[in-house]
Amino acid sequence: MSQWKQIQQLEIRLLEHVDYLYDDNFPMDIRQTLASWIESQDWDTAANDESTAAVLFTNLLSQLEKARSQEQNFLQRHNMKMIQQQLQVKYMSNPAVMARVISSCLREEQRILSSACTQEQGPLEKSLQNSVAFERQKNMDNRVGVIRANVQLMDQAVKYIEDMQDDFDFRYKTLQSRESTDRNSDTMKQEVTRLQEMLNRLDFKRKEIVTKIDVVIKEIDDLMTSQLNPELQDWKRRQQIAAIGGPLLTGLDQLQSWFTLTAQSLFQIKRQLDKLGELVVKVTYESDPIPLQKPQMEERVKYLIYHLIRSSFVVEKQPCMPTHPQKPLIIKTGVQFTTKVRLLVKLPEVDYQLKVKTTFDKDLPPGRVSRQFFILTNNTKVMDIEDYSNGCLSVEFRHLQLKEKKYINGTKGNEGLLSVTEELHSLSFEACFTVQGLTIDLETCSLPLVVISNVSQLPGGWASVMWYNLQTDEPRNLGFFGNPPQASWSQLSEVLSWQFSTLAGRGLNKEQLSMLGEKLFGQHASCSDYQVSWSKFSKENIPGKTFSFWMWLDSILELIKKHLLPVWNENYIMGFVSKEMERTLLKDREPGTFLLRFSESHLGGITFTWVEHSENGDVKFNSVEPYTKNRLSALPFADIIRDYKVISDGVVPENPLKFLYPDIPKDEAFGRLYNSQPSKVYPYIPSILIPISVCSNSSSTPPSCQSPEPPMTPGEFNMLNEHLCFDIDTMSSPYSE
């Protein structure tokens, strides 16, 4: 079943989250019409490769045109034509943006499907959904709209005052131009009285408009303080969570709308105050409210504009290597990485090109890190207006590279206090421009980065990125790992499940997370508030092993991603069950029942165990040497299960695997995953394709490894022997779990 069909079968609560994904950037009509084609394309690669993105964009338009020509409904054909034209306008010049949008939507669909399987959301995801509640957004929309409407009404009021003052000024000058002999006439006295009445009304209107402007300025000030800035901080927090595999980051366009409308209101108020200043030059009087209150209001408006625009300068896309799009915030020296900043306010005018400069580790205190880096490539670019960002200014740096500074006499300063992957760095962005007479300095920075020099440091670096962004919302706490806080298991387990959702398409269920918890701290795993230290998670070796918990789990993720994805997504791998629990589950099952679990003693290994019943009623459990990436590169895992054989006491090889736990016939479970045709196992066994275990079932002597019977030649046997699997529960083996 396609992913889109699975989505359509979700309950209403989850469908609302799906609806939130799709807008003008990627209309749901396209997702519906081209569902199968969209899911068959490699959008992740296209998101970071311009040429691939261009090809996919062209193909998408062709597919859309084909679908439109086959559509019978006239209205639907019209809508598809409009969508096609909108896509061309948005993405023709930058198709990689479209690829990133579609890639993000597909990944978020997978996450939503995964959460539907687990049937329970974690505490982080619940808190994020509360933070983007529709009611709060509606309140913001209404409040911003009311302010905007009031500012528009004030424009009319200022225009009314201007017309009233022009009338007063004309009458006043006309009165002054009369002969002095006429000034004591009754007509003159009536005119003076009329002018006084007009001046009184003008004074009333001036006081009224000044009061209204003051009220709106205070309302905008409160809006920025109590709602707009918290919404921005909430978006930044959600960006942190999205960076480590959490729910798709949305809401930036909504923030942009609020910021822009608020800025437009402030700029309009500034123009209104300027206009009132012009009116005062023409007509003023004692106790005139405009010259008394205008300076303070002008300063307040400038202050609000300055801080609104400064806060709207955000890192839209955190630094990320195109080679590892799902692991942002890790940079390898000498490898290009990309990042993007955006100004959420549409500026009415800019006096010159807005140049953005990037700086690495700006203002970092001496001795904070043992290594120092500089940006090797051009670090300055001009912000452009992009159609797909609704006219806002943004700039994307696509070819940045870091190089480590050389040190005199090999000295690196504060060396040895933290590991390479615990040292945090920062990328800063600066710009300066003038708008409507205001000079504004912009500055923002990325989330803390981990810089590595070898890909072997990538797992450790990602552990640091996860731990930081899980534990704190501080944007630049570069000394975080000097004393890292503990994490609650309820939140950490949720993040670990996200890693499987992101890399493997399906997260972990409650049982699997419980098994993981037991591997970390035994029976305490059931306590959701149990605290896990950074050292126990990433630095200390598992008792009796040569690797940490995270290194073990990361190797499993890589194994799934590269070799086990189809089997994993069918939910056939039990995963993290212990040997003790494995035997408890299998002992009462039919002979030949087997289950799949990850090796506890190998990094990146998967094994299977099956149960047998002897004639006297004894139960035997047989496990095989874990399959690692080297062996799975030669033969798909589903084919291994299909073709697996055991040679026992010279008997013709047979496959002991009959039922996938609990009772699914093997071929029924794995049949559609088989890649090659079954091989003939007699008289010859191609060793590279047929997995075989050789053992003895003699009752008088312990089982032992035996060579296969002829007709194999010595050379064929030697080749086969390199790929043998062992019965690790019934014989001595270096691979014992």
Side-chain angles (χ1 to χ4, degrees), residues 44-45 47-49 317 320-328 330-332 334-338 452 455 458 503 558 561:
D44 289 341
T45 299
N48 298 283
D49 186 307
K317 180 181 178 183
C320 180
M321 296 185 293
T323 52
H324 294 83
Q326 293 166 335
K327 291 186 176 179
I330 301 178
I331 308 300
K332 183 178 179 296
V335 174
Q336 289 185 353
F337 64 95
T338 65
I452 62 175
V455 290
L458 190 63
L503 292 177
E558 286 298 309
K561 179 182 177 182

Side-chain angles (χ1 to χ4, degrees), residues 620-651:
K620 291 200 308 180
F621 304 95
N622 306 285
S623 299
V624 297
E625 170 196 349
Y627 288 89
T628 59
K629 62 181 180 181
N630 292 333
R631 304 175 71 192
L632 292 173
S633 297
L635 193 62
F637 190 56
D639 287 9
I640 289 174
I641 292 173
R642 180 193 64 193
D643 296 332
Y644 180 75
K645 300 292 186 292
V646 172
I647 298 177
S648 179
D649 290 335
V651 178

Side-chain angles (χ1 to χ4, degrees), residues 303-371:
Y303 174 87
L304 292 176
I305 291 174
Y306 180 82
H307 286 279
L308 179 71
I309 294 179
R310 273 181 62 88
S311 63
S312 77
F313 190 47
V314 299
V315 181
E316 178 179 353
K317 180 181 178 183
Q318 293 292 336
C320 180
M321 296 185 293
T323 52
H324 294 83
Q326 293 166 335
K327 291 186 176 179
L329 303 172
I330 301 178
I331 308 300
K332 183 178 179 296
T333 52
V335 174
Q336 289 185 353
F337 64 95
T338 65
T339 186
K340 182 180 180 182
V341 292
R342 180 168 165 181
L343 197 64
L344 299 179
V345 172
K346 292 182 182 179
L347 296 174
E349 61 182 50
V350 179
D351 290 351
Y352 52 86
Q353 287 186 324
L354 207 169
K355 295 182 179 180
V356 178
K357 178 183 178 182
T358 61
T359 308
F360 199 78
D361 279 347
K362 181 187 177 186
D363 300 330
L364 192 67
R368 173 62 63 83
V369 294
S370 65
R371 303 169 301 151

Side-chain angles (χ1 to χ4, degrees), residues 456-711:
S456 63
Q457 298 166 332
L458 190 63
W462 186 239
S464 296
V465 170
M466 286 193 298
W467 203 266
Y468 181 95
N469 290 288
L470 167 64
Q471 292 293 91
T472 181
D473 58 3
E474 295 182 73
R476 199 171 182 261
N477 182 4
L478 303 186
F480 176 83
F481 284 102
N483 184 25
Q486 293 184 330
S488 69
W489 174 243
S490 60
Q491 291 189 332
L492 178 59
S493 61
E494 186 178 7
V495 173
L496 295 181
S497 181
W498 289 343
Q499 307 315 301
F500 284 82
S501 297
T502 301
L503 292 177
R506 186 177 64 82
L508 303 179
N509 57 35
K510 291 176 63 175
E511 290 74 19
Q512 290 169 326
L513 289 173
S514 178
M515 295 173 194
L516 277 182
E518 290 178 4
K519 293 188 183 300
L520 259 181
F521 31 73
Q523 298 304 314
H524 299 289
S526 59
C527 301
S528 60
D529 58 348
Y530 191 79
Q531 298 295 304
V532 186
S533 70
W534 163 245
S535 181
K536 189 176 184 65
F537 174 73
S538 178
K539 303 181 73 173
E540 298 174 5
N541 287 342
I542 298 174
K545 305 297 188 296
T546 59
F547 43 80
S548 67
F549 174 83
W550 168 246
M551 291 298 292
W552 171 72
L553 194 62
D554 182 73
S555 67
I556 289 173
L557 278 163
E558 286 298 309
L559 189 73
I560 293 174
K561 179 182 177 182
K562 295 179 179 178
H563 302 289
L564 301 174
L565 209 53
V567 181
W568 173 259
N569 284 328
E570 291 291 345
N571 202 22
Y572 290 158
I573 301 176
M574 187 163 290
F576 311 104
V577 62
S578 65
K579 286 189 294 184
E580 293 74 16
M581 178 58 69
E582 176 184 69
R583 295 185 178 194
T584 300
L585 294 173
L586 289 175
K587 66 179 181 179
D588 297 325
R589 294 293 169 179
E590 289 291 323
T593 301
F594 66 100
L595 57 77
L596 311 177
R597 66 180 175 89
F598 298 113
S599 170
E600 295 177 308
S601 60
H602 286 62
L603 282 177
I606 186 170
T607 183
F608 48 81
T609 299
W610 72 93
V611 63
E612 292 181 353
H613 299 277
S614 63
E615 293 180 358
N616 60 9
D618 291 339
V619 179
K620 291 200 308 180
F621 304 95
N622 306 285
S623 299
V624 297
E625 170 196 349
Y627 288 89
T628 59
K629 62 181 180 181
N630 292 333
R631 304 175 71 192
L632 292 173
S633 297
L635 193 62
F637 190 56
D639 287 9
I640 289 174
I641 292 173
R642 180 193 64 193
D643 296 332
Y644 180 75
K645 300 292 186 292
V646 172
I647 298 177
S648 179
D649 290 335
V651 178
V652 174
E654 63 176 26
N655 192 330
L657 309 178
K658 307 299 182 184
F659 304 98
L660 177 66
Y661 180 86
D663 55 8
I664 308 174
K666 176 189 63 180
D667 290 336
E668 180 182 321
F670 296 96
R672 59 183 176 278
L673 304 180
Y674 297 153
N675 286 342
S676 58
Q677 295 300 315
S679 303
K680 295 181 180 180
V681 299
Y682 187 83
Y684 297 106
I685 302 177
S687 62
I688 198 170
L689 295 177
I690 305 300
I692 297 180
S693 289
V694 182
C695 63
S696 171
N697 290 328
S698 172
S699 59
S700 59
T701 60
S704 60
C705 298
Q706 293 188 357
S707 303
E709 296 292 329

